[in-house]
Structure formats: C-alpha cells, structure tokens
Amino acid sequence: MLDTSTDLPKDAPEEIRVRAAAGPREPQFDPTLGTDISADWQGTPPHRLVVIGDSLSHGFQSGAIFNTDISYPAIIAHELSWLNDFRFPRYAGPGGLPLNIELLLRTLEERFGPENNVWEIPLALFAARSFMDDVEDYWERGPGKEAPALSAYCHNLSVYGWNLRDALSKTAASCEKAIKAPNDDIFDQVVQNNSDRAALRVYPHWAPEQKRMTLFHTAKALGEEHNDDTDCGIETLVVFLGANNALKTVTELRVTWSDENFRDPKRSGAYTIWQPEHFAAEFTEVVTAVKAIKARHVIWCTVPHVTIAPIARGLGSKVMPGSRYYPYYARPWLRNETFNAKQDKHITAVQARAVDYAIDMYNDTIEAAVRAARDGADGVERDWYLVDIAGLLDRIASRRYIEDPAARPDWWTPYPLPAPLSALDPPPDSRWLTSDGRGGRASGGLFSLDGVHPTTVGYGLIAQEMINVMRLAKVKFYHPSGAERTDTVTVDFDRLLRRDTLVRNPPQNINSTLDIIAWADEALDLIRRTLGKP
C-alpha cells in the first residue's frame, strides 16, 4: 500500500499542508501539455541554442566546474553539429572551480594507493591540503585570477549556485564587487567567491553597459541579433532554474524556510528552501523576463526532487510499507548501526516529505506557466514546452522506487537506459558511486562524486530529453557533412562513455564503505567546500 501519510514538521508552511492533502504531484510527460501551436517559422535563427540555468546546465561535476565541453548544452550543440559556434565558458587550472573531488581522490590514490590506511592519514591530509592550496593560488593569485576578455555573448548562460533571484539580479558588476582581496588562510583553503569568479567567465563585461546585464538581459541581446528573414535571434531557449531554491536542504542537511525577506539576496543565504508562494513570486519575474526574449521555442524544466540525490542517504527501513521515505537522511558513508541521531547531521522523513511537496508546488507553478503560454492566456500563443526532469529522476530513483516496488505510484515506469549504458556491467544507477576494487565500478554511475550532479553519461540523459522536445518542435539537426538528419536523433553515448572517467575507471579509493570520502569530509569539510557557495 502506498504511503499516503501527510505527517509534516511543525514549521512546514500551511500551503504545504494543503498540498500534502492532495497527494504527490504526478509528472507531466507530454511536453506540449496537450496543446498544439500553429506557426510558420521563417529562416533559421543565428543562435540555435541558448541556455539559462544553474550548476546542472553549467556542467558542474564532482564538486567543480571544469568539463564544460560536455555539459548537456554542449552535448546538444554537438548533436546539432553546431558545437564550433556554441559559445560557453571554460575553466582551466587544477581541475576547475571550486574543488575537483575526482582529481583530489586520484591524486591521493596515485600517492597512497586504493586503501586509506590509518598510518598514512597525516600524510594524506598534508597532500590534500597541498592540492587545495594549489587550487586556491591558481584562482586567487595566479593565472585564473583575471577572467578572460569576452568579445561576444555566451550561449550557455548558466552559473553554479544561482537561485531564481541570483539569475534575475546578478551581473558582472555585482560579481566583481563581491570578489575581495583574498587571504591566504592555511586553515580555510577554499577559493573565495568562487561562484562569482566562475560567473565572470559567463557574463559579458567588456563595457559598462554589458557589466550591468543579467543572464536574462544577455539572452535578450542574443534574441535581438537576427536577420530580416528570421523572426528572432534564438531558435531554442532552455530555462532550467530553481533547484538551488531547495538544494541546501540535502547538502547542508538543514530545513530552513524562506521568510518575508526572500527577495533580499543578502538575507537569502540563511534559507535552505523557499516557501512555494515565495518561489512563485520570483518565478513570475522569470517568466516576464523570458517573454521579453525573442526565442522561437522555449523549453522549461521542472525542479528535481533533491531528496533523491545520493548525497543524503536514507537510513534504516522505510517508515512504513509503500512509503517513499526513510526515518533519517544523512551522509551516504554513515551506516545504520553507527548512525546517532543526536550527533550526526540529518533531516527526518517528515522534513523530506515537506521538501518534496514544496518542490511539487514549484513544479505546479512551472507547468502552469507553460500551459498559460501555450494557451495564449495573455493574447500571444508561445511555443513553450515542459521537460519534466523531476519525473526523469523519479524514474531512475534506485532506493525510492526501483528497489521497493510497493512504493511505486501508478504512473511510475522504469526509465529505459540507452543501449550503450544498459549494456554496462553493472548498468549505471542513482546510488552513490563506488568502486569494485578491481579497477571498475560496483554501484552508481549516474551521479558524480559530489552526490548531487550527474556524471557525463547522466548529463547525456538530460541532453536526450531536450533533443526529443526539440525534434517535436521541428528543430533541424544536421550531420557534420551538412546534410539534414532525418533519423531519430540520439545522443552519441559511446562518445560520452569515452569521456566519462567515473563510469569507465572510477578512483579505486572510493571503496564500498565510502571511508575515503567520509575522511575527506571530516578532515577537509569537503561537502561544504564543494557544494556551498562561498
């Protein structure tokens, strides 16, 4: 029997209680929401793909932004045969910003081997701090200190850590102002203002006017760049924002609701989750900003249920047969027999339920905006689409649904992995990535080493969902030869597998008990450093 409990924490907003009484949201897998749009498109806009988003669109992975050429927007551009014209930020240095967990673990593995022996811990700590010091020096005092001069607007307008208000308000000028003279602190070796530093490789900043532009202003400028034979400058615009309005509930294991100061960026750092009415108020501003952008097709993405991400692992047995929830959610390296609710950071089942219902309401808001636009509620029919990323994640949720058939709702079916992924042994899943001690992978493969962001093949799944909708919108894809593709456009997962070092050859010091990650988090405050936004 499915869990229909409406138990919620005492501090849950009243609107969450009302929503809980109606039950969980059912994903919407029809991108058109049952509405056809009649349009006669002329010509091909010069900017075939523009994306406004956060870390999931930026290409963040294993605690850092580095491989931006295989972010999901870049994967789509590759399949469009447009990657050479697709403009996106690049990050060099020792593994990107702020701290590349994969590179750190491989550095430790190379020096100390696959086991984290007790007598080697002091040396490993020294090596890790030396690595972190090199990263800090590169970005604060070395070649990475100055953002490169841009001469044209980026097409991937995404910055990790940005929530709705950040996307609406931050500019190159505000990022430059935020970056202060760094201190070389041996006890807090993290790149200061790392999100702002990363953003300056995304935002235009070549003149005072450009320095005042938000992500939406930049997309608007791209939309204005079109020839007389086209109706707009952007062919497909993707908007994928909102995850950071709830993500800190699992990265910080703390549930703190937004209050009346939710529009104040200086106050919002205290929140880990926005009340749905506050999310809706800010999302209305996002919709208004997007309507001003000349884009032929707009794809909107729902917010994934962050409680499924393996960074917060459910402990114990489900709270009742058929439930989605475990009694406690804590770090994935904690064991049932050693977990201490009085000492170990965690959130509870009722808190996780409240977070999920809040996200359900966020997604109701997003879906309603797409429906209104397609219906022409303001007098203009818009070719907007919905990609239900929340539904995709639910369909690959190993511990919530795949391993517990009793918890599956009526709408649930397993997500069919592409053949190159399903042929792997074992096939990638949503559990925490672990090694088998023999050079291969024992579990996981869809989430990277920060337990929040996808691996390269995980980003490929998102790209495929976007491509499916673009084909539905009659977007033309081309072969490298220039000939139009008439086949079903599928992501080249063989290419992505060649680039996916975590799936092909994960660090072998990620053992089945996750001791090395646990040690790194305790000794180096790893999770805060990589998933926080200092």
Side-chain angles (χ1 to χ4, degrees):
M1 179 178 178
L2 292 178
D3 180 4
T4 57
S5 172
T6 58
D7 289 346
L8 295 168
K10 293 180 180 180
D11 65 344
E14 182 59 31
E15 60 182 329
I16 298 290
R17 300 183 184 281
V18 173
R19 183 65 181 80
R25 172 181 177 270
E26 181 173 334
Q28 175 56 260
F29 294 119
D30 176 5
T32 70
L33 306 182
T35 304
D36 292 328
I37 300 295
S38 58
D40 182 20
W41 310 118
Q42 300 297 319
T44 300
H47 306 295
R48 303 210 59 204
L49 177 67
V50 173
V51 179
I52 300 175
D54 51 32
S55 58
L56 289 170
S57 302
H58 203 176
F60 202 86
Q61 190 177 88
S62 293
I65 182 68
F66 60 109
N67 279 338
T68 49
D69 65 318
I70 44 175
S71 64
Y72 83 76
I75 295 170
I76 297 171
H78 173 84
E79 299 301 337
L80 283 166
S81 291
W82 195 64
L83 187 57
N84 289 338
D85 296 311
F86 183 67
R87 297 192 290 267
F88 56 91
R90 298 175 187 271
Y91 301 87
L97 274 168
L99 182 64
N100 189 322
I101 299 173
E102 179 182 358
L103 185 55
L104 172 60
L105 293 190
R106 290 192 188 279
T107 299
L108 295 176
E109 181 182 29
E110 181 179 356
R111 182 165 179 181
F112 302 105
E115 297 296 330
N116 188 33
N117 296 313
V118 173
W119 56 86
E120 291 178 333
I121 286 179
L123 291 175
L125 179 61
F126 179 79
R129 289 198 179 279
S130 295
F131 175 86
M132 294 167 66
D133 190 44
D134 289 343
V135 174
E136 183 186 29
D137 284 344
Y138 180 89
W139 294 106
E140 292 184 357
R141 288 166 288 279
K145 179 179 179 181
E146 299 297 330
L150 303 177
S151 59
Y153 301 115
C154 277
H155 293 116
N156 190 351
L157 299 170
S158 306
V159 182
Y160 70 81
W162 268 205
N163 57 37
L164 296 183
R165 179 53 52 190
D166 293 329
L168 287 164
S169 62
K170 284 184 179 287
T171 63
S174 69
C175 291
E176 288 178 343
K177 185 177 180 180
I179 298 173
K180 301 177 181 179
N183 297 315
D184 190 9
D185 188 339
I186 63 171
F187 298 107
D188 190 14
Q189 292 169 308
V190 59
V191 180
Q192 294 180 12
N193 302 105
N194 54 77
S195 287
D196 296 296
R197 294 176 190 275
L200 288 176
R201 285 164 166 74
V202 176
Y203 282 85
H205 57 272
W206 55 79
E209 178 183 355
Q210 278 70 33
K211 286 189 176 184
R212 294 190 294 271
M213 295 173 72
T214 66
L215 298 178
F216 296 99
H217 293 145
T218 307
K220 186 174 186 294
L222 288 167
E224 298 293 339
E225 296 179 356
H226 61 92
N227 302 320
D228 293 339
D229 63 343
T230 57
D231 53 313
C232 56
I234 299 172
E235 184 172 24
T236 302
L237 172 67
V238 174
V239 184
F240 191 177
L241 289 164
N244 285 305
N245 290 81
L247 183 61
K248 289 200 295 185
T249 56
V250 292
T251 59
E252 296 187 6
L253 294 173
R254 174 173 62 90
V255 178
T256 303
W257 297 93
S258 60
D259 58 26
E260 66 275 5
N261 298 305
F262 69 94
R263 284 192 173 91
D264 183 355
K266 295 180 180 178
R267 304 289 292 275
S268 64
Y271 316 140
T272 64
I273 184 166
W274 269 242
Q275 294 188 42
E277 66 172 321
H278 298 161
F279 180 95
E282 295 200 328
F283 190 77
T284 297
E285 295 183 48
V286 170
V287 170
T288 299
V290 171
K291 285 181 177 179
I293 299 170
K294 291 184 178 179
R296 182 174 290 178
H297 318 291
V298 181
I299 296 175
W300 295 81
C301 301
T302 59
V303 177
H305 289 120
V306 298
T307 54
I308 291 176
I311 188 61
R313 183 177 187 271
L315 294 173
S317 301
K318 295 282 188 76
V319 293
M320 63 177 290
S323 177
R324 293 180 289 170
Y325 301 106
Y326 293 86
Y328 302 103
Y329 291 80
R331 292 294 174 239
W333 45 83
L334 292 176
R335 304 172 181 85
N336 292 331
E337 60 271 19
T338 60
F339 171 73
N340 187 327
K342 293 182 179 180
Q343 298 178 358
D344 296 320
K345 291 187 68 174
H346 66 276
I347 62 173
T348 64
V350 294
Q351 289 176 312
R353 182 180 287 112
V355 170
D356 280 353
Y357 277 125
I359 291 173
D360 282 349
M361 295 184 71
Y362 296 175
N363 292 336
D364 287 341
T365 296
I366 296 169
E367 181 179 339
V370 175
R371 190 179 301 279
R374 292 189 67 84
D375 288 342
D378 61 355
V380 180
E381 269 191 356
R382 292 180 168 84
D383 199 31
W384 288 11
Y385 298 86
L386 186 74
V387 171
D388 207 318
I389 298 296
L392 185 159
L393 183 59
D394 285 350
R395 293 177 69 192
I396 64 172
S398 296
R399 303 187 72 234
R400 177 168 291 191
Y401 293 130
I402 295 177
E403 297 175 4
D404 186 4
R408 299 172 185 172
D410 292 339
W411 60 262
W412 190 91
T413 57
Y415 188 86
L417 292 177
L421 302 189
S422 61
L424 296 176
D425 184 17
D429 60 44
S430 67
R431 293 177 294 170
W432 186 278
L433 183 75
T434 60
S435 64
D436 62 8
R438 302 185 302 275
R441 175 177 48 86
S443 66
L446 295 180
F447 283 88
S448 66
L449 292 176
D450 58 32
V452 171
H453 299 92
T455 56
T456 298
V457 298
Y459 277 124
L461 297 181
I462 297 176
Q464 185 66 68
E465 293 297 313
M466 303 292 185
I467 288 171
N468 293 345
V469 175
M470 293 168 70
R471 293 293 278 173
L472 187 65
K474 297 182 172 56
V475 171
K476 294 182 178 180
F477 285 71
Y478 295 90
H479 294 287
S481 64
E484 183 179 348
R485 295 177 65 171
T486 58
D487 58 334
T488 300
V489 178
T490 56
V491 168
D492 185 351
F493 279 94
D494 289 323
R495 180 181 79 96
L496 298 186
L497 279 170
R498 290 193 295 271
R499 295 288 304 273
D500 198 325
T501 55
L502 290 177
V503 170
R504 284 191 302 104
N505 180 32
Q508 294 303 292
N509 52 5
I510 319 167
N511 58 33
S512 60
T513 57
L514 303 173
D515 286 341
I516 187 70
I517 299 286
W519 167 82
D521 189 50
E522 182 178 353
L524 307 172
D525 197 11
L526 194 68
I527 298 304
R528 182 188 67 83
R529 292 175 188 278
T530 59
L531 298 180
K533 199 178 67 169

